[in-house]
Amino acid sequence: MPDDDTQAPTLKSAPTPRAAPELRTPRLADGSEPPAPWLLRLIAVGLVLAALNLRPAITSLGALLEEVRDGLHMSGSVAGVLTSVPPLCFAVFGVTAPRLARRFGAGAVVCAGMAAIAVGLVVRPYIGSTAGFLAASALALMGIAVSNILMPVIVKRWFPDRVGSMTGLYSMALALGTALAAALTVPVTGALGGNWRTGLAVWAALAAAAVLPWVVLVRDRTPAPAPAASAVPGAEAPALRITRSRTAWALACFFGLQATAAYITMGWMPQIFRDAGVSAGTAGLLLAVTMAMGVPLAFVIPRAASRLRQQGPIVVALGMCGLIGYSGLYLAPAAGAWAWALLLGVANCAFPLALTMIGMRARTGAGVVRLSAFAQSTGYLLSIPGPLLVGVLYQHSGGWGLPIALMAGLMIPQMAAGVLAGRNRTIEDEC
């Protein structure tokens, strides 16, 4: 009987790993003590404010591109270079974000990124030269690039049990900031005296406000997860050679072509409408409508795509919307302006579809990280010539016929690459 007595406590103490449920759903991804509720609310506010600032530097410029060109005496080709700067900065500076976050902490890097956006936006209109304008724009875009990469890291670090809802909140804020800058830049410029420099600089205030919540996290040195951190232990990750995968290359091409369309739209679409006789304010609203389509569809399209074994039908549907929209811009840019803006907004939702397919085309965490880095970095590099070529064609042809034909033509390889990338297979099967 004493033996039974000694065994009983042993059997009852075995369930002491009931601490496991607490470790299974910690408030923080690294298992550290849960933060105070007020801190989580502050971080959520910081995420929203940061996301609101990830596109106004681009869409506010698109709304006033004609005034900027006249004020700085830019040619169409130089303006094309200006519209190609965002994807270049995203490709170059984005790859430094994980390393910076591991050294200084993700919160500190995002805080610095918001500060860089604020400084770049307030400085660039007043430098007085094209080179200075480009350099200040690059500073702001550098802040956008590193912050854009680290937003998911922040979500995973502080909201591991609410990744989906917080990502949705952040995505909605990003689309909202994009649309607001497009819609309000021209009216705000008029209300502030009609000076385009003031109209561009005013968006620095929003970035400055976004710095404040992140100051609290400057001392948070929790490292960002390295690419291998999310991998399943073993030799699989080092053996994965992403460049051997046809699916990875198809995704990179699809990502690059949809990014090309997006940056051409953000940089040039208001000017297309203005040259067709649409007022500057209405042209900004049309761009806002195009960008605002991403708010609801960013939730609908990924859910629909994840339920399909192959995403090719969605790729084709979005591409056809783009073809119809560009055809309308060519034939009747002013008469059907609102319809073309809506259709191009739907076509631009290839971005959340591309992100969804990245997650579906790899079986392991390591595969997703490698595929995401490869597809996005390669894709942004591929997207750089598009806006520049549009500017060159516009300047040398004296109209929008050839540029719009180029935009429509790029929809064909985009659909082809998307259909290939949407096949039901994973990169592990090909590498």
Side-chain angles (χ1 to χ4, degrees):
M1 296 301 295
D3 292 340
D4 294 338
D5 292 338
T6 55
Q7 289 178 357
T10 306
L11 293 173
K12 289 184 179 179
S13 61
T16 49
R18 287 181 181 176
E22 297 179 6
L23 296 175
R24 185 169 173 265
T25 56
R27 294 303 297 269
L28 293 186
D30 61 357
S32 60
E33 288 296 321
W38 68 267
L39 181 58
L40 286 179
R41 287 193 287 269
L42 182 65
I43 296 168
V45 171
L47 280 170
V48 171
L49 286 175
L52 285 171
N53 281 282
L54 296 182
R55 293 299 181 269
I58 304 169
T59 52
S60 63
L61 177 60
L64 294 175
L65 186 58
E66 182 175 320
E67 287 77 6
V68 174
R69 288 178 56 197
D70 293 342
L72 297 178
H73 308 290
M74 285 186 188
S75 65
S77 299
V78 174
V81 171
L82 186 60
T83 56
S84 294
V85 169
L88 174 62
C89 290
F90 290 170
V92 172
F93 297 120
V95 296
T96 67
R99 182 178 300 176
L100 291 172
R102 287 193 291 272
R103 180 171 181 179
F104 301 106
V109 176
V110 173
C111 184
M114 293 297 109
I117 296 170
V119 173
L121 292 185
V122 79
V123 167
R124 72 175 181 176
Y126 299 105
I127 289 184
S129 68
T130 299
F133 191 95
L134 287 169
S137 295
L139 175 63
L141 292 166
M142 177 181 67
I144 293 172
V146 296
S147 301
N148 199 30
I149 294 294
L150 293 178
M151 288 293 100
V153 176
I154 296 291
V155 169
K156 184 176 181 180
R157 159 82 170 110
W158 294 97
F159 304 95
D161 54 342
R162 284 176 282 169
V163 171
S165 59
M166 294 306 298
T167 301
L169 180 66
Y170 145 72
S171 300
M172 183 178 292
L174 190 152
L176 181 61
T178 306
L180 286 176
L184 298 180
T185 297
V186 172
V188 168
T189 301
L192 295 176
N195 189 325
W196 65 267
R197 300 178 191 274
T198 307
L200 288 182
V202 72
W203 293 100
L206 182 62
V211 172
L212 300 178
W214 295 103
V215 172
V216 177
L217 293 177
V218 166
R219 294 186 179 182
D220 177 54
R221 297 300 180 89
T222 301
S230 59
V232 176
E236 179 183 1
L240 187 62
R241 297 183 181 180
I242 197 75
T243 55
R244 291 185 176 181
S245 169
R246 294 181 179 180
T247 298
W249 279 107
L251 258 176
C253 292
F254 179 65
F255 192 95
L257 288 166
Q258 67 79 28
T260 299
Y263 288 108
I264 289 175
T265 298
M266 285 187 282
W268 288 109
M269 198 175 81
Q271 190 64 51
I272 294 174
F273 285 125
R274 292 180 68 174
D275 287 351
V278 177
S279 68
T282 302
L285 286 174
L286 288 165
L287 178 59
V289 168
T290 300
M291 298 296 106
M293 292 300 293
V295 177
L297 292 181
F299 290 96
V300 175
I301 290 177
R303 290 184 179 183
S306 63
R307 294 173 182 172
L308 298 175
R309 292 174 61 85
Q310 300 191 32
Q311 290 71 47
I314 301 179
V315 170
V316 173
L318 297 180
M320 292 304 298
C321 286
L323 282 175
I324 297 171
Y326 288 129
S327 299
L329 277 183
Y330 184 89
L331 297 172
W338 295 100
W340 317 142
L342 286 170
L343 286 167
L344 292 175
V346 174
N348 278 346
C349 289
F351 175 68
L353 177 61
L355 295 182
T356 304
M357 288 197 291
I358 286 173
M360 298 178 68
R361 295 287 89 88
R363 287 197 301 264
T364 65
V368 172
V369 171
R370 288 170 179 260
L371 180 57
S372 178
F374 175 77
Q376 293 200 49
S377 60
T378 305
Y380 278 129
L381 287 174
L382 291 174
S383 71
I384 293 171
L388 173 61
L389 186 56
V390 167
V392 172
L393 291 175
Y394 173 59
Q395 179 179 355
H396 286 80
S397 68
W400 286 108
L402 284 177
I404 292 175
L406 171 66
M407 299 176 208
L410 290 176
M411 284 287 108
I412 305 301
Q414 177 177 317
M415 286 189 283
V419 169
L420 292 175
R423 293 176 298 174
N424 185 27
R425 60 187 63 192
T426 63
I427 57 173
E428 288 86 356
D429 298 328
E430 301 175 338
C431 296

